[in-house]
Amino acid sequence: MAKKGRLKEAITRREEELLQLLWSAGKPMAVRELLTLFPEPQPHFNTVSTVVRGLEEKGLASHNDDHDAFRYYPISDRESLGRKSLGNVIKGYFDNSYLNVVSTLVEDDTISVDELKELIEIIEQKRKEK
């Protein structure tokens, strides 16, 4: 069983792109409708169909049977998927250490001292709430 907050299986770039389109659409969409949202060159119908079925298998999308076509929709929101994906990145690239992540951000001058102070304040506030 996967740990809470992590995807059992990482999503591909194409799966993420398709989820972004589904989130932006805000309504269930058939594969043919989804195709129109892709920039040129558009992927093949079968490719999009395969990708969306993969999202269903991973528990990230589902569908309604609308007589003439399946209409797909996301069942995972952006924030939840972002958190799960971040967990996978930290596990795979930073030895499952959040300290390694923050250290890398500091070394690369990606995070400022003020942001680190704010982060410490958030952590301290969370501790107080518990």
Side-chain angles (χ1 to χ4, degrees), residues 115-127:
E115 289 171 318
L116 286 169
K117 287 177 182 176
E118 186 177 339
L119 185 58
I120 290 167
E121 288 175 13
I122 291 168
I123 293 167
E124 289 174 345
Q125 183 62 39
K126 290 282 183 186
R127 283 192 181 158

Side-chain angles (χ1 to χ4, degrees), residues 101-127:
V101 173
V102 175
S103 295
T104 299
L105 295 173
V106 169
E107 288 172 19
D108 293 347
D109 288 326
T110 305
I111 191 167
S112 70
V113 172
D114 288 339
E115 289 171 318
L116 286 169
K117 287 177 182 176
E118 186 177 339
L119 185 58
I120 290 167
E121 288 175 13
I122 291 168
I123 293 167
E124 289 174 345
Q125 183 62 39
K126 290 282 183 186
R127 283 192 181 158

Side-chain angles (χ1 to χ4, degrees), residues 31-53:
V31 171
R32 291 201 188 287
E33 293 171 312
L34 285 167
L35 277 171
T36 66
L37 301 179
F38 280 92
E40 292 293 338
Q42 293 177 336
H44 191 273
F45 178 92
N46 291 344
T47 300
V48 174
S49 182
T50 299
V51 171
V52 80
R53 283 194 317 274

Side-chain angles (χ1 to χ4, degrees), residues 54-72:
L55 289 171
E56 282 191 294
E57 289 173 12
K58 292 177 181 180
L60 300 171
S62 190
H63 71 271
N64 297 325
D65 187 353
D66 195 17
H67 304 296
D68 62 334
F70 285 167
R71 299 202 179 277
Y72 296 93

Side-chain angles (χ1 to χ4, degrees), residues 87-102:
N88 287 344
V89 168
I90 291 168
K91 180 181 178 187
Y93 295 98
F94 296 95
D95 297 325
N96 208 27
S97 168
Y98 288 80
L99 179 59
N100 287 349
V101 173
V102 175

Side-chain angles (χ1 to χ4, degrees), residues 11 15-27 60 73-82:
I11 66 170
E15 287 171 332
E16 183 179 359
E17 183 179 20
L18 191 56
L19 272 174
Q20 292 288 349
L21 292 174
L22 287 168
W23 285 322
S24 295
K27 64 178 182 176
L60 300 171
Y73 57 91
I75 56 175
S76 178
D77 61 64
R78 280 185 172 107
E79 184 176 323
S80 297
L81 184 60

